[in-house]
Amino acid sequence: MNGEAVRPVEERMPDQPQLSVVIPVYNEEASLPDLFARLFPALDALGVRYEVVFVNDGSRDRSAALLREQWERRPDATRVVLFNANYGQHPAIVAGFEHCRGERVVTMDADLQNPPEEIGKLLAAMDAGHDYVGGVRRHREDSWFRRLASKAMNRLRERITRIHMTDQGCMLRAYSREIVAAVAASREVSTFIPALAYTFASNPTEIDVAHAERTAGKSHYPLYKLIRLNFDLVTGFSLVPLQLFSMFGMFVSAAALATYVGVIGYRLFAFDWAGVRWQEATSVFWDRDILAFFLIGMLLFGLGLIGEYVGRIYQQVRARPRYMIRAVLERPADEPAER
Ligand code: UDP
Ligand code: MG
């Protein structure tokens, strides 16, 4: 038995925060002041030792400067990881996971769509013994199009992967240290953190959380990026699309064979069935060209689908670093906690 695992964490790592909050930041200068003003008081009110890890994902506005100012104000509770370019929200969260030390880790967005006051609810669910707590936005404040598309994608993912989440897009989630370590150790490219983390969870649960409209700045997910994200989610966690394609191929071959046999039979014996000259009847809606276009379309789709998987393999085998860090703003480890 491993003695480390049973000793309380305070004994193992006296300086370890009980809670880390990981926040990816990309061009959020308009939201950051409000975020600081609400996040830190909300965390102070929880009465736990915490740290906030901001990851600046190559912002081109003043976000990095604002993060540095906040770090100077609260160096005891703030760390800032600065990327040298924009690598995306999920790589930024991975970097946050690699740099946080909390026994529990909460992720949230920087735009205040996830109210920081809800973090206590996530922690309460963890107190009840869960190692993964997903947020569900009951009243989602986004456009009807986003809500509809995301509902459809949630349903698709639910059917073709083993990941059960009501609201995959909600980033307000809490993870145990073990799960965070497993995610940080995964060398997966183009991944989706809530789903990847779910695969490591042993006792996941979900709770309802509030959601607010984006009041400042604008969403970084235009339609194209949303489609890409969902392709990554599907191909990164399921082989079902490929398997469906083999099934479809088998079905088309069997149907073609049956039609062939039927046509030969008709030509040899010119039989009618139930008083209908069926070949003439079907010729009304039978058009070989249209069918051929349909099948070519399916073929191209299948080819693209294989391409998605091959592309993932290609990215994976190149094994390039997923991001480059320009600097990390943190207090040197040997400095005392109080200053
Ligand atoms: N984000 C990021 N890198 C990106 C895009 C977004 O770090 O390339 C961050 C962004 O700053 C925010 C979070 O990811 O904290 C969610 O982004 P956004 O609010 O634009 O997404 P939405 O709420 O529209 O899904
Ligand atoms: Mg948002």
Side-chain angles (χ1 to χ4, degrees), residues 24 26 28 57 86 89 110-111 113 146 214 219-221:
Y26 180 52
E28 299 282 7
D57 187 14
N86 178 237
Q89 178 184 1
D111 56 4
Q113 288 197 276
R146 281 285 298 262
R214 202 185 229 285
S219 170
H220 301 98
Y221 284 94

Side-chain angles (χ1 to χ4, degrees), residues 41-252:
L43 292 174
D44 288 331
L46 291 175
V48 297
R49 260 196 328 282
Y50 69 87
E51 63 174 6
V52 184
V53 181
F54 294 101
V55 184
N56 177 44
D57 187 14
S59 301
R60 279 182 289 266
D61 63 0
R62 290 191 59 248
S63 296
L66 293 174
L67 291 174
R68 174 179 284 276
E69 282 168 22
Q70 179 58 28
W71 173 67
E72 279 160 4
R73 272 195 296 273
R74 290 290 299 271
D76 57 310
T78 314
R79 293 150 161 255
V80 183
V81 178
L82 297 163
F83 279 0
N84 70 345
N86 178 237
Y87 295 94
Q89 178 184 1
H90 293 267
I93 296 174
V94 172
F97 280 5
E98 283 176 349
H99 285 84
C100 71
R101 299 165 308 156
E103 184 59 10
R104 291 165 173 182
V105 181
V106 166
T107 56
M108 61 182 275
D109 288 348
D111 56 4
L112 281 172
Q113 288 197 276
N114 305 136
E117 295 78 18
E118 299 283 81
I119 292 174
K121 278 201 214 163
L122 298 173
L123 299 184
M126 291 200 105
D127 288 337
H130 298 286
D131 59 347
Y132 177 114
V133 187
V136 179
R137 300 167 289 187
R138 280 295 166 213
H139 300 284
R140 189 166 162 194
E141 306 288 346
D142 276 319
S143 69
W144 65 268
F145 171 74
R146 281 285 298 262
R147 290 205 303 265
L148 199 77
S150 122
K151 209 173 235 171
M153 277 317 297
N154 269 294
R155 208 161 293 159
L156 178 68
R157 189 225 53 249
E158 198 70 28
R159 292 181 78 116
I160 66 175
T161 68
R162 279 184 215 170
I163 296 158
H164 302 295
M165 293 188 284
T166 312
D167 184 8
Q168 62 191 28
C170 181
M171 282 297 141
L172 187 56
R173 286 167 191 273
Y175 310 99
S176 70
R177 164 112 315 252
E178 287 72 23
I179 293 180
V180 165
V183 170
S186 308
R187 311 245 46 96
E188 227 177 276
V189 294
S190 317
T191 196
F192 190 78
I193 303 297
L196 181 62
Y198 186 94
T199 62
F200 302 122
S202 58
N203 187 10
T205 189
E206 294 190 322
I207 60 167
D208 287 357
V209 293
H211 190 239
E213 217 172 315
R214 202 185 229 285
T215 48
K218 59 178 178 20
S219 170
H220 301 98
Y221 284 94
L223 184 62
Y224 174 73
K225 249 171 114 182
L226 276 180
I227 294 176
R228 282 298 339 149
L229 189 74
N230 281 296
F231 256 110
D232 284 337
L233 180 63
V234 168
T235 58
F237 292 91
S238 171
L239 292 180
V240 170
L242 286 179
Q243 289 157 351
L244 282 181
F245 239 88
S246 350
M247 302 301 279
F248 176 74
M250 284 199 288
F251 170 77
V252 170

